[in-house]
Amino acid sequence: MKLIAKSIMVMGMVMFLTACKKESKLNPIPTSLISDASAYDSPDRIATLVNGLYATFKGSGFFGTQYIYYSEARSGDFISTNLNPTRGGLTYMMTVDPGISDVSAVWTQGYQIINACNVFIASMEEKGVKVLTPQLANNYLAEARFLRGLSYYYLLQLYAEPFTKNNGQSKGLPLRLTPNKGLAEYNLARSSVADVYKQIITDLDYAEANLPANYSSAALNTTRAHVNTVISAKTNVYLSMGDYTNVIKEANKIVPATAPFIAPTGVKNALQAEVTAIFKAPYTTTESVFSMPFSNTDVPGTSLANAYLPDGANATGLGSAGTGDFYLFEGGIVSDPLWKTTDKRRALVFTTTAGGNKGRQWSTKYATGSPYTDYVPVIRYAEVLLNLAEALANVNGVDSRSLALLNAVRQRADQTTTLTASGQPELISKIIHERHIEFLGEGIRNADLMRLKLPVPAKTPLGSSPVPQINPENPNYLWPVPNTESLYNKDI
């Protein structure tokens, strides 16, 4: 964890802080360093530290936005235009090794978040609780534990076998729960996948019990963790574990038994009537359970818009352009005849109309050109509904509520279709298919492939070199532990 080591040596007993606006929109501007001796001596300084945790979560290697970028490069829906190793080319070709930057960037950023949360938790318990009211102190501790648990969850989706393979008995991740402040503290073996998931649930349970039900603005309800944020995250975690009973238990807290599906408590999370509104300013719809905000003074390190949008030569009529690194695979979900041309989600796909690449298709969920200021969804309410639909189908077979949830997602974009199923396998297949369409480009497909123990599909672009299918038993199916970790951690 080379970058973590550098960070700790720079910080020692200090933390790098970012300023926050009054409404805490997480658009940080670097400020001076504050010594650890005074960092926890006032409510304002502690609040700034909390915002710094979110800023680290949306750092370049994680949700700002390389985690999504690399997850999608793997998953078979996009074609790389240049195979550049600095732009996810090796991840796309499924030929990563412990020394490449993709593998180290996500791991390092993930553990930077985890260590920052560990430092905050320890310091709060020692000093901060004496400064804040018990309720506010517990709220802040809950936010730190939420971000720590979520970071472990997303790291598992790339670096460890799925829980569903063998009930979590494979090697998972080094489970770091205390601050690292020196190289001697780095040696730590990998815990099992099951133990890491157990800790994730422990962190999320604490967060749910101690976070506020809502905040004072739509911006805060979108960018800060509240109770419904945590419950939504727990449905993802339990789904990845194949624990459908607990998916149902958690989702039932925020999803009514019948339509309209609007969270009955806390933030009134609900599907948006217009699906494209989720991806437009101000990005703070009630469907956006948790998103990472960006602005023209706080842009993502590797923007999804930059990667997904066509370059200038291929963007005529679009209004903005990127570098054209990844276009939509002609043989993938975008060409599925079951995804109707009248479906409103088709408005989030742009087709090049002229030149040598006429007919090439591009994702425009992230459509703001330079500077790239699109918010990045981490969890949407649509995901919770489809998580619940899938869990109900697995437990109950052809379940009327499962079908209602599935059709709620489909029909807000395609009112001409009512999905039905004659048996459990067909219903589950249609739910997975709907997830594939709904979350195209959002970094979810790779996690679905993993938990379902499905191959990473072959990529067969027109006029370019194919990438073969990678089956779950292939060593390239998982990312290896990076050299930047093994250099300092001798027990890995």
Side-chain angles (χ1 to χ4, degrees), residues 78 275-280 283 304-310 314-315 317-322 326-328 334 339 344-352 360-369 374-375 440-442:
F78 289 85
V275 66
T276 59
I278 303 163
F279 304 96
K280 296 177 181 177
Y283 307 101
L304 293 171
N306 179 272
Y308 290 170
L309 294 182
N314 291 292
L318 181 58
S320 58
F326 286 95
Y327 66 92
L328 291 166
V334 74
W339 185 6
K344 292 180 181 178
R345 291 171 293 194
R346 289 284 184 182
L348 299 169
V349 175
F350 172 76
T351 302
T352 298
R360 181 169 285 181
Q361 295 176 292
W362 312 81
S363 173
T364 58
K365 281 185 174 177
Y366 313 93
T368 304
D374 298 289
Y375 282 29
L440 176 65
E442 296 181 51

Side-chain angles (χ1 to χ4, degrees), residues 99-425:
I100 73 165
S101 61
D102 302 16
V103 172
S104 63
V106 177
W107 179 283
T108 299
Q109 188 73 46
Y111 273 101
Q112 282 183 328
I113 301 161
I114 290 164
N115 194 56
C117 290
N118 288 339
V119 170
F120 180 83
I121 292 166
S123 299
M124 274 291 295
E125 291 174 345
E126 179 185 356
K127 303 171 184 178
V129 293
K130 302 172 185 176
V131 176
L132 305 175
T133 65
Q135 180 180 1
L136 187 56
N138 287 336
N139 286 354
Y140 286 165
L141 285 167
E143 289 184 88
R145 291 187 66 166
F146 167 74
L147 291 172
R148 181 174 71 180
L150 207 60
S151 299
Y152 274 122
Y153 171 72
Y154 287 116
L155 287 173
L156 283 172
Q157 308 316 307
L158 289 172
Y159 297 94
E161 297 281 5
F163 185 98
T164 50
K165 178 181 179 178
N166 54 12
N167 206 33
Q169 297 310 300
S170 303
K171 286 185 177 181
L173 303 165
L175 194 51
R176 300 187 183 277
L177 302 176
T178 57
N180 290 122
K181 294 184 178 180
L183 294 178
E185 300 172 1
Y186 283 167
N187 294 332
L188 183 65
R190 298 168 73 177
S191 294
S192 70
V193 169
D195 283 344
V196 179
Y197 270 108
K198 182 179 178 180
Q199 181 60 45
I200 292 168
I201 294 297
T202 298
D203 278 345
L204 296 183
D205 282 344
Y206 179 92
E208 182 184 356
N210 289 281
L211 282 171
N214 52 49
Y215 294 99
S216 60
S217 70
L220 291 176
N221 286 335
T222 301
T223 60
R224 292 289 287 266
H226 49 77
V227 171
N228 287 6
T229 318
V230 180
I231 293 169
S232 300
K234 287 167 75 175
T235 70
N236 285 340
V237 173
Y238 281 124
L239 190 70
S240 292
M241 297 173 70
D243 186 346
Y244 302 117
T245 299
N246 270 315
V247 174
I248 295 169
K249 176 184 174 183
E250 295 298 330
N252 279 343
K253 298 175 183 177
I254 58 174
V255 180
T258 58
F261 299 114
I262 302 172
T265 60
V267 177
K268 302 301 182 183
N269 294 117
L271 292 177
Q272 291 302 292
E274 176 52 61
V275 66
T276 59
I278 303 163
F279 304 96
K280 296 177 181 177
Y283 307 101
T284 55
T285 71
T286 53
E287 184 165 342
S288 304
V289 177
F290 189 47
S291 296
M292 292 295 100
F294 295 96
S295 71
N296 58 6
T297 59
D298 174 32
V299 295
T302 304
S303 166
L304 293 171
N306 179 272
Y308 290 170
L309 294 182
D311 58 21
N314 291 292
T316 302
L318 181 58
S320 58
T323 54
D325 288 335
F326 286 95
Y327 66 92
L328 291 166
F329 174 36
E330 303 92 341
I333 191 67
V334 74
S335 300
D336 192 319
L338 297 178
W339 185 6
K340 292 184 179 179
T341 57
T342 54
D343 190 310
K344 292 180 181 178
R345 291 171 293 194
R346 289 284 184 182
L348 299 169
V349 175
F350 172 76
T351 302
T352 298
T353 57
N357 292 319
K358 183 178 180 179
R360 181 169 285 181
Q361 295 176 292
W362 312 81
S363 173
T364 58
K365 281 185 174 177
Y366 313 93
T368 304
S370 181
Y372 304 100
T373 56
D374 298 289
Y375 282 29
V376 175
V378 182
I379 306 172
R380 293 201 276 124
Y381 195 62
E383 192 173 1
V384 180
L385 298 189
L386 291 179
N387 289 351
L388 178 55
E390 186 179 340
L392 288 166
N394 273 281
V395 171
N396 300 329
V398 179
D399 181 280
S400 60
R401 187 181 179 207
S402 176
L403 277 167
L405 292 162
L406 172 60
N407 279 302
V409 176
R410 168 56 69 97
Q411 290 180 341
R412 67 95 170 261
D414 173 17
Q415 295 179 2
T416 68
T417 299
T418 298
L419 297 171
T420 61
S422 59
Q424 184 185 51

